[in-house]
Amino acid sequence: MRSIWNGSISFGLVTIPVKTYSATERTSSVSFVRIHEKDGAPIRYRKICELDGEEVPNEEVGKGYQAPDDETIVEITDEDLARLPMPTAKTMTILAFVGADEIDPLQMDKAYYLGPNGSAAAKPYAVLREALEHQGKVAVGKVAIRGRESLAMLRAHDGAIVMHSLLWPDQIRPATGIGPHGDVKLRDNELTLAETLMDALGEVDPAELHDEYREAVEELVAQKLEGGAPVAPKAPGGRGQVIDLMAALEKSVAAAKGGGGAEREREASVTPIRGRRTATKKTEARTAAAKKAPAKKTAAAKTSSAKSADTSTAKAASKASSKAASKTASKATAKATPKKRTAKKTSA
């Protein structure tokens, strides 16, 4: 591993010569080159002067500074920068020791391994490393690497000292307006289920994690080199939607614990809230219709019974009236007709 910066750590009156090595590797990530789609040839970037339109060679490229609100560009030479005071150019001065939780992860930029530079630096290096590990603290100071001064943090890691360059506080943007507006009401059982899910998921071994996208790109390239048709990857899941939070949490906990049964799966099925409301409204409408149906039938039965009773009454009244009229007519006829007298014969 090649050292990228040699300097020292100033720890009170103790000076520890160190070598700096890059702790991260980005070459394994996916990167593409620009090509001309017409013929597949790579495209080169040329440095063109905006004044005369000619290409500028690298040895004629210098530095310039342009203020944010001004179009004027001021030329800055290496000699100008060399005359500027920069006490941290070769030494990182430790300013304080603080708890690791006092450093906002947003400030962490790039990581470097620090190794002792020479046999004489081995002992003070080990003393600082053991002190950091035993106290559970990190060291904060300032350092300048490649002409840029930044904050830095030292911490013990895997038998070595790691230096993290930190962003300045004014380089961190505020999170104003990012979170949900207003107070979000949460129920205790929702938080309990969320914490249960956190415990059920457990820990992960970082060594088992890998870049699936890079592997997919490499497989795609291999298929194209062999002349085969690229295999379409599986489509990802549907778009995010508002879901029943409690049901989703319950199902997630059951899946994380590796079971739960089919019945629990059905109870904890994730259903869009909008769909649940629609189903509820339909169910309520059906229930209301079912309740109204017997009432309508009963009312119809009562009406039919009443009509039947009225018809029977009317028929009975009609019969009675007919009988009475018949009797009256018979009496009247009898009175109007004279009775025949029978003559008695007289014997001679």
Side-chain angles (χ1 to χ4, degrees), residues 86-212:
M86 188 179 289
T88 58
K90 286 293 182 180
T91 303
M92 176 188 173
T93 304
I94 296 177
L95 303 176
F97 292 90
V98 299
D101 56 350
E102 296 183 36
I103 304 297
D104 192 334
L106 283 174
Q107 286 188 258
M108 295 185 183
D109 192 11
K110 189 168 175 57
Y112 303 90
Y113 287 131
L114 300 183
N117 189 2
S119 58
K123 189 170 184 177
Y125 179 95
V127 168
L128 177 59
R129 180 195 63 197
E130 294 299 320
L132 290 171
E133 190 168 5
H134 184 263
Q135 292 291 326
K137 292 187 176 182
V138 298
V140 177
K142 291 196 298 184
V143 68
I145 298 178
R146 294 174 178 172
R148 295 177 182 269
E149 186 177 60
S150 67
L151 290 173
M153 180 189 77
L154 303 181
R155 67 183 180 93
H157 171 72
D158 198 18
I161 295 177
V162 179
M163 179 176 71
H164 294 269
S165 59
L166 303 178
L167 300 174
W168 298 97
D170 59 356
Q171 292 178 299
I172 306 298
R173 294 178 177 178
T176 306
I178 303 298
H181 299 289
D183 295 334
V184 180
K185 295 182 179 179
L186 300 178
R187 293 179 292 179
D188 292 340
N189 52 354
E190 292 173 343
L191 292 175
T192 301
L193 277 174
E195 293 173 357
T196 303
L197 176 58
M198 292 170 62
D199 295 336
L201 288 176
E203 300 179 355
V204 64
D205 184 5
E208 297 179 357
L209 304 179
H210 56 279
D211 189 349
E212 296 180 2

Side-chain angles (χ1 to χ4, degrees), residues 5-328:
W5 180 81
N6 294 344
S8 60
I9 300 173
S10 177
F11 177 32
L13 298 178
V14 178
T15 299
I16 309 172
V18 293
K19 289 184 176 183
T20 305
Y21 309 89
S22 180
T24 57
E25 182 64 61
R26 296 184 181 273
T27 57
S28 61
S29 61
V30 176
S31 61
F32 301 98
V33 295
R34 302 280 182 175
I35 63 171
H36 188 193
E37 291 184 351
K38 184 177 180 181
D39 51 24
I43 299 175
R44 294 181 179 179
Y45 290 92
R46 301 170 60 191
K47 300 179 178 68
I48 305 298
C49 177
E50 294 185 0
L51 185 61
D52 55 22
E54 296 183 0
E55 186 175 357
V56 179
N58 288 333
E59 57 269 17
E60 295 182 11
V61 177
K63 298 183 181 70
Y65 180 82
Q66 182 178 7
D69 300 328
D70 192 355
E71 296 182 357
T72 304
I73 298 177
V74 179
E75 183 181 0
I76 304 294
T77 65
D78 292 338
E79 290 75 14
D80 294 332
L81 295 175
R83 287 192 292 266
L84 295 178
M86 188 179 289
T88 58
K90 286 293 182 180
T91 303
M92 176 188 173
T93 304
I94 296 177
L95 303 176
F97 292 90
V98 299
D101 56 350
E102 296 183 36
I103 304 297
D104 192 334
L106 283 174
Q107 286 188 258
M108 295 185 183
D109 192 11
K110 189 168 175 57
Y112 303 90
Y113 287 131
L114 300 183
N117 189 2
S119 58
K123 189 170 184 177
Y125 179 95
V127 168
L128 177 59
R129 180 195 63 197
E130 294 299 320
L132 290 171
E133 190 168 5
H134 184 263
Q135 292 291 326
K137 292 187 176 182
V138 298
V140 177
K142 291 196 298 184
V143 68
I145 298 178
R146 294 174 178 172
R148 295 177 182 269
E149 186 177 60
S150 67
L151 290 173
M153 180 189 77
L154 303 181
R155 67 183 180 93
H157 171 72
D158 198 18
I161 295 177
V162 179
M163 179 176 71
H164 294 269
S165 59
L166 303 178
L167 300 174
W168 298 97
D170 59 356
Q171 292 178 299
I172 306 298
R173 294 178 177 178
T176 306
I178 303 298
H181 299 289
D183 295 334
V184 180
K185 295 182 179 179
L186 300 178
R187 293 179 292 179
D188 292 340
N189 52 354
E190 292 173 343
L191 292 175
T192 301
L193 277 174
E195 293 173 357
T196 303
L197 176 58
M198 292 170 62
D199 295 336
L201 288 176
E203 300 179 355
V204 64
D205 184 5
E208 297 179 357
L209 304 179
H210 56 279
D211 189 349
E212 296 180 2
Y213 179 73
R214 176 171 60 87
E215 294 176 355
V217 171
E218 292 173 351
E219 183 178 353
L220 172 64
V221 172
Q223 291 171 356
K224 290 202 169 217
L225 288 175
E226 294 174 359
V231 179
K234 293 182 180 180
R239 296 173 57 188
Q241 58 182 347
V242 179
I243 60 175
D244 187 330
L245 180 58
M246 285 296 297
L249 287 172
E250 289 175 355
K251 187 173 182 179
S252 300
V253 171
K257 290 182 176 180
E263 186 66 26
R264 186 175 180 83
E265 289 280 336
R266 287 195 295 269
E267 292 178 358
S269 59
V270 180
T271 306
I273 290 179
R274 186 177 298 177
R276 288 172 61 89
R277 290 178 178 172
T278 304
T280 302
K281 289 181 179 180
K282 289 182 179 180
T283 304
E284 291 177 353
R286 290 175 182 174
T287 304
K291 289 181 179 179
K292 289 179 180 179
K296 288 183 178 179
K297 291 181 179 179
T298 304
K302 288 182 179 179
T303 304
S304 177
S305 176
K307 287 182 179 179
S308 178
D310 291 343
T311 303
S312 301
T313 304
K315 288 182 178 180
S318 177
K319 288 182 179 179
S321 176
S322 178
K323 288 181 179 180
S326 179
K327 289 181 179 181
T328 304

